Amino acid sequence: PSRPLVITVTGGAGQIAYALLPLLASGYALGSEQRVSLRLLDLPVMMEAMRGVAMELEDGAYPLLDAAVVVTDDPRVAFDGCDVAVLLGSFPRKPGMERKELLARNATIFREQGESIKAVARGDIRVLVVGNPANTNAWILSQYAAPAVPPEHIMALTRLDHNRTRSLVAHTLHCRVDAVDGVVVWGNHSSTQYPDVSVATAPNVTRGRMRAAVGGEAFLRDVLIPTVQTRGAAVLAARKLSSAMSAANAIADHLRDWLCGMKAGDSGQSWVSAAVMSDGSYDIEPGIFYSFPVRCAGGGAYEIVHDLPVDEFSRKYMQATGDELIAERDEAIALLRR
Ligand code: NAX
């Protein structure tokens, strides 16, 4: 394509942006043919730091990157005519901060950004929400970006959780990670998420045999599920900084599949996980942003994969994480009404 894709990254001075921008500029995320034009948005106090990031992008001399990297603290400038937005910027959780307060701070940010996107972005924009609480932030954004931007154009990132699950299965089975297919992360990008391997496959592990192959229900309940659910906290405890390299890689994987299609992306997987607006599939409350197994055809089109078997073990987890999302949405409604 001759026109460069305009990609807006919010939280442009933050640590995920620092790991993500080279993946966007180099063609790793969207292919070696796709030119890109970058816009970075952050708070006024971060303008100078962001200018430094822009200097480094220039100094990278990336052949696919448009020379002028836009750096701004104004959402209307950042989203003007933008094709793809990656929303990293959010209010971080401080020690001792109530979850409600975190939700409240972010509700305001994602309302404002939804309104800006509605006002100035292209109607065919695709928006990936990463800043936490990601699913509910995506829901809030969808309320304020509509009707200019339909909810099908908005997703929240659960690909990092999906990648973590896939990698943990490969590690457990001593096989290559790209030989593992069919994992699903259901629900919220939070500690209630449900990483599900019940229909996953690997070399010598046919469909329906994975639970037994990794160690049975006890292993799932006591090891696999909690390990994935708390992986972000484990990285934070070890690094004293939250996941950034792996988050950036997951964002690149997500964008490649969503925009270029899963074949072009050569993801080698039957489906991937992403939080999309529920259409009631699998008896999940319609309207909430819930992580499902999805297939992407390219150009921003996707479909939820239907008819995967859900047994009692899975249903319990799927329900709990869905209930959490309904509660978050209801809190957001109450906050935004004030
Ligand atoms: P950083 O704190 O390094 O960067 C965030 C940046 O956003 C800061 O520069 C800040 O000034 C900026 N910002 C704050 N409010 C803003 C606003 N209203 N407009 C524009 N910019 C604003 O965080 P980082 O490690 O980069 O993480 C970014 C977000 O990703 C966090 O909310 C984090 O919790 C979330 N994550 C989500 C993941 C997911 O899988 N969905 C995984 C990784 C990550 O933890």
Side-chain angles (χ1 to χ4, degrees):
S2 51
R3 188 177 71 84
L5 206 63
V6 179
I7 307 181
T8 303
V9 177
T10 74
Q15 55 150 1
I16 295 179
Y18 197 75
L20 173 66
L21 292 167
L23 305 185
L24 297 174
S26 66
Y28 176 79
L30 298 176
S32 57
E33 306 280 299
Q34 180 62 60
R35 287 164 56 214
V36 297
S37 175
L38 290 173
R39 307 253 181 91
L40 312 183
L41 174 76
D42 209 301
L43 300 176
V45 289
M46 302 305 285
M47 283 297 285
E48 197 184 348
M50 246 191 335
R51 278 190 207 104
V53 175
M55 284 182 224
E56 286 207 69
L57 282 166
E58 282 171 25
D59 297 348
Y62 297 101
L64 294 169
L65 179 62
D66 239 33
V69 174
V70 175
V71 164
T72 179
D73 57 8
D74 180 352
R76 304 262 162 157
V77 173
F79 295 120
D80 186 24
C82 132
D83 297 295
V84 178
V86 182
L87 307 187
L88 308 171
S90 60
F91 195 88
R93 189 166 190 165
K94 300 264 167 69
M97 190 171 171
E98 292 270 342
R99 231 179 50 83
K100 257 207 167 94
E101 196 188 335
L102 181 74
L103 197 75
R105 295 273 192 164
N106 282 296
T108 322
I109 295 175
F110 285 84
R111 171 171 62 193
E112 188 200 354
Q113 296 193 349
E115 286 167 347
S116 298
I117 285 172
K118 176 180 175 176
V120 300
R122 298 166 56 95
D124 61 359
I125 187 179
R126 294 297 187 278
V127 185
L128 177 60
V129 179
V130 180
N132 280 315
N135 299 51
T136 299
N137 288 342
W139 179 84
I140 293 166
L141 186 97
S142 74
Q143 302 301 301
Y144 292 92
V149 178
E152 294 77 30
H153 290 192
I154 302 165
M155 292 194 187
L157 185 79
T158 53
R159 184 62 170 269
L160 177 54
D161 309 299
H162 179 98
N163 287 351
R164 285 167 172 164
T165 307
R166 201 179 178 209
S167 179
L168 184 55
V169 168
H171 194 81
T172 307
L173 298 176
H174 307 289
C175 73
R176 288 173 52 126
V177 71
D178 60 354
V180 176
D181 184 28
V183 306
V184 184
V185 170
W186 301 93
N188 199 1
H189 169 70
S190 77
S191 58
T192 65
Q193 63 177 265
Y194 171 45
D196 175 14
V197 301
S198 59
V199 293
T201 58
N204 304 317
V205 185
T206 52
R207 187 156 160 163
R209 301 274 167 85
M210 184 59 85
R211 281 178 174 169
V214 293
E217 279 193 14
F219 178 83
L220 297 178
R221 196 179 50 236
D222 301 335
V223 182
L224 188 137
I225 295 169
T227 299
V228 175
Q229 287 173 333
T230 60
R231 186 67 162 183
V235 170
L236 176 61
R239 219 169 74 84
K240 315 287 180 269
L241 286 169
S242 57
S243 319
M245 189 206 306
S246 55
N249 187 60
I251 294 166
D253 286 346
H254 181 120
L255 292 177
R256 185 186 309 116
D257 286 343
W258 197 13
L259 302 175
C260 308
M262 288 172 61
K263 281 210 184 85
D266 193 28
S267 72
Q269 298 181 79
S270 304
W271 56 74
V272 292
S273 305
V276 300
M277 184 173 270
S278 167
D279 60 357
S281 296
Y282 296 97
D283 290 326
I284 300 304
E285 169 95 351
I288 59 173
F289 275 73
Y290 188 98
S291 180
F292 286 103
V294 301
R295 250 186 233 114
C296 305
Y302 75 87
E303 54 174 28
I304 294 175
V305 175
H306 292 108
D307 303 325
L308 296 183
V310 173
D311 64 3
E312 215 177 301
F313 181 91
S314 290
R315 178 55 65 188
K316 214 174 56 200
Y317 284 100
M318 287 166 68
Q319 182 91 38
T321 190
D323 287 348
E324 183 181 57
L325 282 168
I326 293 168
E328 283 185 17
R329 179 204 57 194
D330 292 346
E331 271 174 50
I333 291 173
L335 285 164
L336 291 163
R337 216 181 266 142
R338 271 192 221 140

